[in-house]
Structures are given as C-alpha cells and as structure tokens.
Amino acid sequence: MLTAQGQNSYSAQETGELSLFCMNINNLMRGRCLSFMFIFLSITDAHFPYIDPNRLQFFEYESFSVNCAGFHDPTEWRVMRKVSSNASPQEVSTGYLNIKPAFVSHSGEYWCENRDGERSNAVNISVTAGSVILDIPALPVMEQETVTLCCRKKASSNHPADFYKDGRFNRTVYKGKLTIHNVSKSDEGLYKCKISGAGESAESWLSVRGET
C-alpha cells in the first residue's frame, strides 16, 4: 500500500500492464542461482520499486538499478535513499537510478516518492566488500509459489551453507540453495546464510504477499 497523507488508487491504464510473471530457475550446470524476471508491473507490485536484478544483496563492483516505472508517470516519482537510521532521506534520481559499479556506501533503504509526499514500500539493499551474499528476491513472493534462496561465495557457488531465519538457525543445505515450496506468510522474515571458512551474509527480509 502506498503511504501518503491521502491515499490514491491507480487504474490499470495508469499502471500500464496488469500482471507480474516471475520465475526463478536454477542453472544446475553451473550451480548458480539465476532469477529470470518477466516484468509487467501490476498494481500490487507497483508499490515496490523494481530492483534489477531482482535481489537485495550485492558484492562490491556489481551493478543494480532502481526503477519507479509503474508509479503513474515515472517523471513524477523520485528514487529516494536513506543510508542509515540517523541520516536524512536523499533524492538520488528522478524515476530511474543505475548504480554501476556498486560500493558499500550504496547500501541503504530505497523507495519511490512523489512531490506530494506519497511513497512506496522501501527495500533494503546491502552491498558488501565481504565474501558471502544471500541471493534473495527484492520483490514480494506470492503465496504458494516456490522460491530459492542462494548462499553465494564471491566468484563461486554450490557450497554447503547454514541458513538462519529471524536470528535462529534454520537448516544446513549442501549446495547452498534453500528452496521453499508453497510459500506462506509464515515464511516471511529476516534471512541470512553462512559458509564455513568464508563468512556470513547480511540479513535481508523475504516479503510474502497473499494471492489477490
């Protein structure tokens, strides 16, 4: 839901296309997690900025973009960022932001906001100089879908990894991929992973939305 002093409702015409078709495919030949996003911004998903690629964690020197397309007229929306709880929000771009390459200083909350103070939900982007990230989707996952969280070591994957949810040990997986079938709201929460001898990832929030 957009937060504002007053709520706006958006028509199908205003948001353009009506559906989001998203599927995660594991490239088993390389042992890598690949997310293929076929994006047609829906009214629901337009309440989140679109992060490309669709994940919340990045190694330094990778690149990502933040896009406010789908929020009525993209030129009316700004990409906003807050790098710490004590920092003031900053306008970093109008409509679209491309960060190439990314550094630790690019970590923070990102959201879309218009001149009237209406704003989208925020996503927390983590950029690390460390050796381990958790490949976790930035956009919400729909209930009953299947999602795969991937624990990645820099320049390689397919390593045994320990996964944690909300600060508690969840399970060990031996190829670095935690697959959750038939996702439900109970799967929503903060996830991180750890690879022995390499380190651990930051924590990121897996968002789950109900079917509409």
Side-chain angles (χ1 to χ4, degrees):
M1 179 177 291
L2 290 173
T3 57
Q5 296 178 356
Q7 291 181 344
N8 272 356
S9 60
Y10 292 90
S11 70
Q13 261 190 329
E14 288 173 324
T15 53
E17 301 291 344
L18 291 175
S19 62
L20 172 74
F21 177 53
C22 171
M23 57 185 177
N24 291 315
I25 301 173
N26 290 331
N27 184 337
L28 300 178
M29 296 296 291
R30 290 183 172 180
R32 283 185 167 182
C33 292
L34 300 178
S35 293
F36 292 90
M37 177 66 69
F38 299 90
I39 180 88
F40 302 93
L41 285 171
S42 69
I43 293 172
T44 300
D45 293 301
H47 295 172
F48 284 82
Y50 174 48
I51 311 299
D52 184 25
N54 179 31
R55 53 187 168 97
L56 292 173
Q57 296 189 20
F58 299 88
F59 291 115
E60 273 198 318
Y61 302 106
E62 291 189 313
S63 61
F64 67 91
S65 64
V66 183
N67 195 342
C68 294
F71 290 89
H72 189 41
D73 179 352
T75 61
E76 296 179 1
W77 291 84
R78 303 169 292 169
V79 179
M80 304 292 291
R81 179 174 71 199
K82 188 174 183 180
V83 295
S84 71
S85 58
N86 297 324
S88 298
Q90 299 175 320
E91 178 181 349
V92 289
S93 182
T94 301
Y96 177 82
L97 172 68
N98 187 39
I99 296 177
K100 182 180 181 179
F103 297 100
V104 172
S105 60
H106 291 117
S107 297
E109 272 190 311
Y110 289 79
W111 67 92
C112 298
E113 186 172 310
N114 69 13
R115 301 292 178 183
D116 296 325
E118 296 174 311
R119 56 175 288 176
S120 71
N121 293 304
V123 294
N124 276 291
I125 301 292
S126 295
V127 181
T128 182
S131 298
V132 177
I133 63 169
L134 176 61
D135 194 334
I136 186 169
L139 285 175
V141 179
M142 184 180 287
E143 282 188 309
Q144 300 183 3
E145 287 185 342
T146 295
V147 63
T148 298
L149 310 184
C150 307
C151 196
R152 292 174 49 198
K153 185 178 175 182
K154 196 174 238 183
S156 63
S157 58
N158 224 25
H159 295 274
D162 296 327
F163 281 80
Y164 296 80
K165 180 178 183 284
D166 298 326
R168 296 183 178 182
F169 175 75
N170 183 274
R171 72 189 79 169
T172 299
V173 294
Y174 293 97
K175 291 188 177 181
K177 301 177 183 67
L178 174 62
T179 299
I180 306 171
H181 299 281
N182 297 316
V183 169
S184 68
K185 289 293 285 185
S186 65
D187 295 307
E188 198 169 62
L190 279 171
Y191 287 81
K192 70 175 182 179
C193 66
K194 183 185 295 184
I195 296 175
S196 179
E200 66 179 43
S201 73
E203 281 189 316
S204 287
W205 183 264
L206 177 67
S207 182
V208 179
R209 65 177 174 87
E211 290 186 285
T212 55

